[in-house]
Amino acid sequence: MLSVLQVTPELNAGGVEQTTIEMAEAISRAGGLALVASAGGRLEPDLEAAGGELVKLPVDSKNPIDVWLNVGRLARLAQARGVRLIHARSRAPGWSALWAARRLRLPFVTTYHGIYNAKTAAKRLYNSVMAKGDIVIANSEYTRSFILHEYDIGADRVVAIPRGVDLERFDPASIDAVKVAHIRASWGLGPGDKRLVVILAGRLTRWKGQTVLIDAVARLEAKRPGLLKVVLAGDPQGRRGYMQELAGQILRNGLRDVVSIVGHLGQMQIAFAASDIAVFPSVEPEAFGRGAVEAQAMGLPVIAANHGGLAETVVDGETGVLTPPADAEALALALERMIDMGAEARAAMGAKGAARVRSLYTKAALQAATLKVYDRLLGANG
């Protein structure tokens, strides 16, 4: 029986967590045992619904003592439940998972979900666990190239498997119009409000580029006021200082009625359906950028920073517009271009994006490709 232990710090919002749940679903549907070692979080019901089983362990801790104690905890869990493969999705728990797998002589897989900064030798060593898998899964071709450049690792051990979208969930035809109207009302948009809704969906952290978008909107409002409603959707994850900075930037620019910070949204498909344009102005390269793909699946034209995974998933001039990173003026011009092209052209651009997502970035494709990685290793290890 296929029995896999995935190890991830938490089960809150984010691409790591969502992919963990998607693979738990795939393992369960294949008749296997889908264990997830994690500190847990708001997505616990989603994991259970997918057929996964949560084992709560303090694998979110970076304390060296906890990391070492987690080796034994994971090894005992794997041995007791007949685990045949361990899959790590983050660095601190990755070390614990690596040593547990080696102790039990189990195949070890890592997924390189992000482009980790490494300004010191110690940080580089810390990051290196994500390149120590018997097979390393990169979540984009950009990430795969980064891994091959940064580490002495054979190209045959690094497999690019893009994140996927659940096309049943992100299906414009399945969206309840009443729910769309409700969420628009919560954003301060009445039935007769003709402003275009621009959404930035991503964690409220500086590198996601919220400040760049606010600056761009301020420039556009000064030139052509009253055209946009901007929604910043995402989990602040305790970043109170950054939240205060964003609020202050909004007030200083007189954008209180234009820009809304709405926090975490549990049903992003409805939020995208309630929007006209999606913007992803990340100032650092995204390893993949799931939000941009989900927005395109919902038929939205996308404006994104021209680097990292976003430059793979958004085709400039066809499914969206790519702009130089951290360039508020260029972003303002891209927004103005989107406004001026009109609803019909925006819809055509969104339709091209949706078609491309269906051909390249599906949850089913991710699940099938990852199961092949498991089969490859388990076949090699009997």
Side-chain angles (χ1 to χ4, degrees):
M1 182 178 72
L2 178 63
S3 51
V4 176
L5 172 60
Q6 296 184 85
V7 186
T8 193
E10 298 176 336
L11 285 175
N12 288 308
V16 174
E17 293 89 337
Q18 191 60 45
T19 307
T20 301
I21 292 169
E22 289 168 354
M23 282 314 304
E25 177 187 66
I27 294 162
S28 179
R29 284 184 176 176
L33 175 64
L35 294 176
V36 175
S38 172
R42 68 164 66 95
L43 296 180
E44 289 178 30
D46 298 65
L47 176 63
E48 183 178 0
E53 179 183 338
L54 173 64
V55 180
K56 283 198 173 183
L57 292 176
V59 292
D60 58 332
S61 175
K62 296 180 181 179
N63 184 303
I65 295 174
D66 287 331
V67 170
W68 179 246
L69 291 174
N70 283 333
V71 176
R73 292 168 179 145
L74 292 172
R76 288 191 294 273
L77 170 63
Q79 195 164 34
R81 301 299 300 275
V83 167
R84 298 180 63 204
L85 181 147
I86 296 178
H87 187 162
R89 296 184 176 277
S90 188
R91 290 165 292 175
W95 284 106
S96 304
L98 169 66
W99 292 326
R102 296 294 182 257
R103 181 180 295 184
L104 299 178
R105 297 183 179 179
L106 293 177
F108 180 60
V109 175
T110 59
T111 293
Y112 215 102
H113 285 280
I115 304 302
Y116 310 115
N117 292 323
K119 296 180 180 179
T120 66
K123 192 63 178 290
R124 183 177 171 83
L125 175 62
Y126 175 63
N127 295 345
S128 69
V129 68
M130 301 310 293
K132 293 184 182 296
D134 298 312
I135 294 181
V136 178
I137 297 173
N139 64 358
S140 67
E141 290 293 343
Y142 169 74
T143 303
R144 183 176 187 272
S145 296
F146 175 85
I147 294 167
L148 293 174
H149 179 266
E150 289 293 309
Y151 301 102
D152 182 14
I153 182 172
D156 61 326
R157 281 178 49 207
V158 187
V159 178
I161 302 178
R163 288 178 180 168
V165 175
D166 184 343
L167 294 180
E168 292 183 5
R169 181 181 170 203
F170 287 88
D171 176 10
S174 69
I175 303 300
D176 186 338
V178 173
K179 291 182 178 180
V180 171
H182 178 76
I183 199 169
R184 284 176 63 89
S186 74
W187 296 342
L189 292 155
D193 199 320
K194 301 299 183 184
R195 290 179 293 173
L196 295 181
V197 178
V198 174
I199 187 167
L200 193 172
R203 294 189 306 277
L204 295 182
T205 181
R206 188 177 305 280
W207 74 270
K208 288 289 187 179
Q210 288 91 358
T211 59
V212 179
L213 177 57
I214 294 170
D215 190 2
V217 171
R219 293 167 188 249
L220 190 54
E221 280 290 309
K223 181 180 178 183
R224 298 173 65 178
L227 297 178
L228 298 178
K229 174 66 181 182
V230 179
V231 174
L232 305 181
D235 193 334
Q237 298 179 322
R239 300 181 183 89
R240 294 181 181 179
Y242 186 57
M243 287 283 287
Q244 292 172 353
E245 180 183 339
L246 292 177
Q249 186 184 9
I250 291 167
L251 289 175
R252 283 194 309 275
N253 286 286
L255 299 174
R256 185 171 60 181
D257 296 329
V258 178
V259 181
S260 295
I261 302 174
V262 301
H264 172 75
L265 296 176
Q267 295 183 301
M268 279 309 306
Q269 70 274 31
I270 297 174
F272 286 136
S275 304
D276 299 288
I277 303 166
V279 178
F280 299 91
S282 304
V283 298
E284 296 178 16
E286 294 269 8
F288 178 71
R290 177 190 287 269
V293 178
E294 291 176 342
Q296 289 176 90
M298 290 300 297
L300 288 187
V302 170
I303 302 173
N306 189 13
H307 58 175
L310 291 172
E312 288 180 35
T313 61
V314 179
V315 181
D316 189 35
E318 293 186 21
T319 71
V321 177
L322 295 172
T323 63
D327 189 333
E329 178 62 26
L331 180 53
L333 291 172
L335 284 167
E336 190 170 20
R337 174 182 168 186
M338 283 278 192
I339 293 167
D340 290 340
M341 72 169 54
E344 186 175 338
R346 286 193 300 272
M349 182 173 275
K352 289 180 181 178
R356 190 167 186 267
V357 168
R358 286 193 296 272
S359 68
L360 296 177
Y361 303 117
T362 67
K363 179 182 76 168
L366 174 142
Q367 291 172 325
T370 306
L371 288 176
K372 285 184 179 179
V373 167
Y374 295 165
D375 288 343
R376 173 178 159 187
L377 287 174
L378 292 171
N381 286 270

